[in-house]
Amino acid sequence: MNIGELEFNHIAFLAPMAGIADRAFRELCVNHGAAYTVTEMVSSKGLTLGDRKSGELLKIGEERPCAAQIFGDDPEIMAAAAVKCLDFKPEIIDINMGCPAPKVAMNGGGASLLKKPELAFEVIKAVATAVPVPVTVKIRKGWDESSVNAVKIAELAEKAGASALAIHGRTRTQMYSGEVDLDIIKEVKNAVGIPVIGNGDVTDEQSAAIMLEKTGCDALMIGRGALGNPWVFERINAYLDECRVLPEPTLSQKMATMLRHIEKIIEYKGEYTAMREARHHAGYYTKGLRGGAALRHEICSFEHFEQLEELAFRIVKDNG
């Protein structure tokens, strides 16, 4: 599949996730087979005003190709922000029109643009006109079940100059509850000529194959299914490319990967921040283990990486 002139050898992509898909996590997932990543979303207003945190979120390392994702509802500001993103050399600019978080959606950005198709068109057109790299858009099924308009938004996005579209098959009001609607993804795919990336509930080889079969989408975007599970990308690649089912990672591999992940966060953000973020990530890496709740409670008290190392070794020893 291609987005603009970018060619992808695999179709399992990492979804943008605020507070999760930072540089460390993106690099980890690419090392495990993710073919494409997207930065955490950045406020167009904050970026154009020189907000330091926005610049930090846009730093891209080895995890290429990578898109810089921005959100906002002012076409001129969005265009200016897209130009500023080019300083970080992303291969793509991605526009977030799917975030359901109240602090974003209730302030005109993210999924709220689904309620304003004409404004969404102007935003996409302004960004696509302003930058020389491909522009993509991330949307949802609609704002709610009474206003399902993903097909209309997709058609407008293509007309405005978008090079590809990712669609999460839930409405904004659903957030992440209920089942993903594969039919709406199929409808969007049939309505436009640009690549369509299916998103929602892809967690393993089987769900990936079902998404592709039932929607005809060009690629898959995996979000929550990658938490504590970066191997999901190489497993999907092996299954789709070679009909192979890779063995599950061993407990030792899981703990070693968890430690490498947190070490990378320390490298980029320092130990203080990393150990607080480790509490969230470690919860996923230890999910399903005997006494997992107690382990996660223990992790929440950790201040130093050495404590996490000791726990990881103990987990392997006690469950060996």
Side-chain angles (χ1 to χ4, degrees):
M1 113 168 228
N2 288 63
I3 297 178
E5 295 182 359
L6 280 172
E7 183 176 352
F8 299 89
N9 293 325
H10 297 293
I11 60 171
F13 298 167
L14 174 65
M17 292 178 283
I20 300 293
D22 59 5
R23 181 178 173 184
F25 190 61
R26 296 195 304 268
E27 289 183 357
L28 178 68
C29 290
V30 165
N31 289 335
H32 282 283
Y36 169 65
T37 67
V38 185
T39 67
E40 298 173 78
M41 63 180 179
V42 170
S43 165
S44 57
K45 290 181 181 177
L47 184 59
T48 55
L49 292 174
D51 176 59
R52 182 187 61 81
K53 184 178 179 182
S54 296
E56 289 294 319
L57 292 174
L58 289 172
K59 286 185 178 178
I60 301 170
E62 304 169 357
E63 71 283 19
R64 294 185 179 275
C66 182
Q69 188 183 75
I70 54 177
F71 72 91
D73 63 346
D74 186 304
E76 288 188 14
I77 294 176
M78 285 288 283
V83 171
K84 281 188 172 290
C85 285
L86 298 179
D87 292 341
F88 301 90
K89 297 179 170 55
E91 282 79 8
I92 290 171
I93 301 295
D94 186 61
I95 301 173
N96 185 315
M97 293 188 178
C99 179
K103 67 178 181 180
V104 174
M106 296 307 180
N107 285 291
S112 68
L113 281 167
L114 300 176
K115 297 191 291 184
K116 304 174 182 178
E118 293 76 16
L119 179 57
F121 174 83
E122 293 300 332
V123 166
I124 299 165
K125 183 179 178 181
V127 173
T129 302
V131 295
V133 298
V135 170
T136 58
V137 186
K138 181 112 173 10
I139 69 171
R140 280 183 170 244
K141 175 180 177 178
W143 179 260
D144 55 29
E145 288 296 335
S146 66
S147 59
V148 173
N149 63 347
V151 170
K152 180 178 181 178
I153 296 290
E155 291 173 336
L156 288 172
E158 182 176 30
K159 184 178 179 181
S163 295
L165 185 88
I167 171 172
H168 185 117
R170 289 185 175 88
T171 64
R172 186 269 165 185
T173 54
Q174 280 183 281
M175 301 290 280
Y176 299 99
S177 65
E179 293 186 2
V180 66
D181 185 348
L182 298 181
D183 290 335
I184 193 65
I185 299 175
K186 181 178 180 179
E187 289 177 31
V188 167
K189 171 58 185 171
N190 291 338
V192 296
I194 55 177
V196 172
I197 304 160
N199 179 219
D201 293 353
V202 177
T203 58
D204 53 23
E205 302 93 325
Q206 183 180 21
S207 54
I210 290 172
M211 171 74 80
L212 289 172
E213 179 183 357
K214 292 194 173 183
T215 70
C217 62
D218 301 282
L220 310 162
M221 191 160 267
I222 302 159
R224 291 172 297 158
L227 297 179
N229 183 31
W231 308 275
V232 67
F233 299 100
E234 57 195 30
R235 292 176 65 88
I236 289 173
N237 292 341
Y239 185 76
L240 296 180
D241 294 348
E242 307 169 33
C243 294
R244 286 194 303 130
V245 177
L246 298 180
E248 290 281 349
T250 65
L251 183 57
S252 293
Q253 289 172 324
K254 287 184 178 181
M255 293 300 99
T257 299
M258 177 184 72
L259 293 176
R260 285 198 299 273
H261 184 179
I262 305 309
E263 278 185 308
K264 272 294 182 182
I265 302 178
I266 291 173
E267 178 182 341
Y268 297 139
K269 301 180 182 179
E271 186 175 45
Y272 179 86
T273 298
M275 291 311 297
R276 278 145 186 80
E277 293 187 4
R279 297 168 185 175
H280 181 81
H281 290 294
Y284 285 99
Y285 285 108
T286 58
K287 187 177 181 180
L289 288 179
R290 184 175 66 250
L295 291 172
R296 289 187 284 277
H297 180 74
E298 184 176 355
I299 291 167
C300 285
S301 69
F302 290 170
E303 297 288 338
H304 302 290
F305 180 70
E306 290 75 16
Q307 294 171 288
L308 188 62
E309 278 188 309
E310 292 174 4
L311 178 65
F313 291 136
R314 193 175 83 222
I315 287 173
V316 174
K317 180 181 177 182
D318 292 347
N319 291 271

